[in-house]
Each structure stands twice: as structure tokens, then as C-alpha cells.
Amino acid sequence: MENTTTVNDFLLLGLTCIQELQPVIFMIFLIIYLINLFRNGAILVVVITETRLHSPMYFFLGNLSCLDICYSSVTLPKLMSNLLSTRKAISFLGCITQLHFFHFLGCTEAILLAIMGFDRFVAICYPLRYTVIMNRQLCVLLAAVAWLTSFFYALIHSVMTAHLNFCHSQKLKYFFCDVKPLLELACGDIQLNQWLIFIVTCSLAMAACFLTLLSYLYIISFLLFKNRSCSVLHKALSTCASHFMVVSLFYGTVGLTYIPPTSASSVIQERFVAIIHTTVTPVLNPLIYTLRNKEVMLALRKVFGRTYLPKDGQW
């Protein structure tokens, strides 16, 4: 029988052990985090304050911006503080809390992207009935379903992980608390936890991804067979291009993070992709959405003034 121990904290050692590089990496992450707060915060402000943006598309975009702020805040502040600390520790409760909110917000984003795909489908394929179908009550209900479903999904992960016994080293070879690295330190039966990762998590992600892609398939089919105007097709697809880029970036990094590594190089790649997923993706989302969206850019200039905002295509 393996010896079990009461775990009070974990050591996060998965980023770098080179002391000279840590202040440089700290500054990089600090800049990324501040840019994330500014960009997503600006979009959230204009979506709330500008009446011309009070539509279903921008309501969900505001949800996504709020989510991206929270998503980075789950991992980056602790990561930055550990970069300046000699003992890179996180408490057991803090670790489980970080795990919970990481999966909670990640799952919410997956469902939210599927809802945004459905919104674009209704807007393009049923433009005359758009305001009737995507009414305020339905939008609030869909957003609530996304947030509440994800909360209880993440709660399963956090509760199941919190009840594990840890009998190996308390050194996590990762830069934040996630289920997979914690399972490597656990003793006893972890099959149910692994089942949750590879079956429930993957099934939920694949279902959300499938529904998102299905919306775009219907959009393309509708425009090709019902409305054969190339100009209309180009205009419609250009409005969906930003959302599709966000979907591709999100699911691409998620897939590379949770596919089981087969070698040491794969483990390094997994950590690198996880950094992109947790730090860079939330910064790119507002950039992708506002780059070709004149309504958002005009609203940003109106709220914050031309002096503080770059020209079109330079943000």
C-alpha cells in the first residue's frame, strides 16, 4: 500500500528554472496581461454603453470579452508572482480553485462560441426573423445556460481531483494547476478522473465544435444554393471570418493541450501550446473581432476618443 500524505501546497515548476530569464518572462506576461485587460475591457465598456451595439451579436461578444479577462486572471497573476518568488508554491485550496475556474471558463468559451455561430446562422439565413428569434430573453437564457452548465461541469473536475490522495512528489511540472499534471502526482485509482478528461471533456468540446461548424456549413450552403450572388456570399463570409478564426485558434490550442503526449518533445510542445491558449488567445480575440468591425471601432473612438485609439487595422 502506497503512503499517502496530507497536501498543503504544490510547487509549480513547469515554466523555467533559469533565474536570469524569470524577470524577462515576468515583464512579457505583465505586458500581455495589461493589453488583455485594456482591449477586452474597452470592448466590454462600449458594448454596455453604446446603444447601437445593443444587439445579440455584441451581447455575446461582451460575454466573450468578460470571459477572456477572467480566463487570463485565473493563471497569469499567480504565474507572474511565482516568477518573482524563490518558492513557487500554491496552496492546495488555491490549486483546486484555479483548476475549477480554468475548466469553468474554458468550457463556457466553447459553448459561447457555438452560440455565436448559431447567432450568425440566424442573422444570415433568416434576416427578417432575426430580431424575433434572437430576442433578449433567448440571448440571456443561452448565455445563462453556457455559464451555469460550465460551472457544474468544472465542479465535477474540481471535486473529483480534490478527493485524490497524493503520495508522490508535490512538484507540479506545469505552470498552473490542471487535472492532467495533478493526476501524475496522485496515487490510487485515477481511472474515473481520466475518464472525465478523455470522455466527458472531449465529448463536450467536440459537441460544441461540431455545432459551431454545423452553423457555418448551413450558412455556406444557404448562400451558395439559395442566394448565388458572389458579392453577398463574400460579405456574409467576411462577417463570419473573425468568429471562425477565434474558433480555430481556441480548438486548435485545446486539442494540442489535451492530446496525450508521446514523447518528451511532445510534453514541451504541450506546455508551449498551453501558454498560448491561456495568455495569447484572450489577447487576440478582441483584436480579431475589432480589426474589420467598423461599428466597434466607431464606438471605441466615440467612448475613448481618437487620441487614444489607433487607426483602422492597426489595433
Side-chain angles (χ1 to χ4, degrees):
M1 184 176 178
E2 294 178 281
N3 293 326
T4 60
T5 181
T6 302
V7 176
N8 295 318
D9 54 27
F10 292 100
L11 301 179
L12 300 172
L13 306 175
L15 197 57
T16 180
C17 59
I18 303 175
Q19 294 289 335
E20 293 76 10
L21 286 178
Q22 292 181 4
V24 178
I25 297 174
F26 170 83
M27 288 304 301
I28 293 172
F29 283 136
L30 178 61
I31 293 171
I32 291 174
Y33 185 55
L34 292 176
I35 292 173
N36 174 35
L37 293 180
F38 172 73
R39 287 181 174 172
N40 284 294
I43 291 177
L44 195 57
V45 168
V46 297
V47 166
I48 293 173
T49 58
E50 279 297 299
T51 55
R52 71 171 68 182
L53 299 184
H54 290 178
S55 65
M57 181 176 74
Y58 296 111
F59 170 75
F60 294 123
L61 179 58
N63 272 263
L64 184 64
S65 294
C66 177
L67 187 148
D68 282 335
I69 292 173
C70 298
Y71 204 35
S72 290
S73 300
V74 169
T75 56
L76 274 181
K78 186 59 181 178
L79 172 60
M80 290 188 292
S81 67
N82 282 345
L83 285 169
L84 300 180
S85 174
T86 54
R87 188 171 183 270
K88 308 176 189 307
I90 183 171
S91 67
F92 179 81
L93 180 59
C95 187
I96 298 300
T97 302
Q98 189 179 61
L99 179 154
H100 173 79
F101 280 96
F102 178 75
H103 282 270
F104 164 43
L105 296 169
C107 182
T108 304
E109 181 163 358
I111 299 175
L112 194 60
L113 289 174
I115 294 172
M116 293 173 76
F118 174 73
D119 172 70
R120 292 299 83 207
F121 160 71
V122 176
I124 293 171
C125 299
Y126 301 98
L128 299 179
R129 298 174 57 193
Y130 176 66
T131 55
V132 177
I133 296 174
M134 298 301 294
N135 55 72
R136 184 173 182 176
Q137 291 78 11
L138 180 63
C139 291
V140 172
L141 177 62
L142 290 173
V145 168
W147 289 91
L148 290 174
T149 301
S150 302
F151 179 84
F152 288 108
Y153 155 76
L155 190 64
I156 297 173
H157 271 305
S158 55
V159 170
M160 291 297 297
T161 306
H163 281 82
L164 291 173
N165 292 318
F166 297 93
C167 52
H168 304 303
S169 170
Q170 293 173 292
K171 297 179 180 179
L172 276 175
K173 296 179 181 179
Y174 217 57
F175 61 95
F176 69 95
C177 288
D178 199 3
V179 178
K180 283 180 66 178
L182 283 170
L183 292 183
E184 295 176 2
L185 305 183
C187 56
D189 187 10
I190 60 172
Q191 287 187 349
L192 183 55
N193 299 79
Q194 292 174 329
W195 182 82
L196 284 173
I197 293 177
F198 299 118
I199 304 298
V200 179
T201 302
C202 292
S203 298
L204 188 59
M206 289 177 64
C209 183
F210 172 76
L211 291 175
T212 306
L213 296 177
L214 187 63
S215 297
Y216 284 104
L217 181 63
Y218 271 108
I219 290 172
I220 295 172
S221 300
F222 173 82
L223 293 172
L224 286 176
F225 298 106
K226 299 291 184 180
N227 191 332
R228 299 183 180 181
S229 171
C230 292
S231 60
V232 175
L233 176 63
H234 179 268
K235 183 178 179 180
L237 291 180
S238 65
T239 61
C240 297
S242 58
H243 182 243
F244 187 74
M245 289 173 64
V246 171
V247 170
S248 301
L249 186 62
F250 176 78
Y251 283 107
T253 52
V254 167
L256 291 173
T257 300
Y258 288 98
I259 292 174
T262 56
S263 63
S265 60
S266 298
V267 173
I268 296 173
Q269 175 185 320
E270 177 188 325
R271 293 173 189 168
F272 176 75
V273 173
I275 292 174
I276 299 296
H277 178 69
T278 56
T279 61
V280 180
T281 302
V283 174
L284 291 180
N285 283 351
L287 176 65
I288 293 170
Y289 273 113
T290 58
L291 193 61
R292 300 175 64 183
N293 193 315
K294 293 182 179 180
E295 286 185 322
V296 175
M297 291 303 297
L298 288 173
L300 286 168
R301 287 197 177 92
K302 180 179 178 181
V303 173
F304 296 100
R306 293 179 179 272
T307 306
Y308 303 102
L309 290 172
K311 297 179 181 179
D312 292 345
Q314 295 182 359
W315 205 31

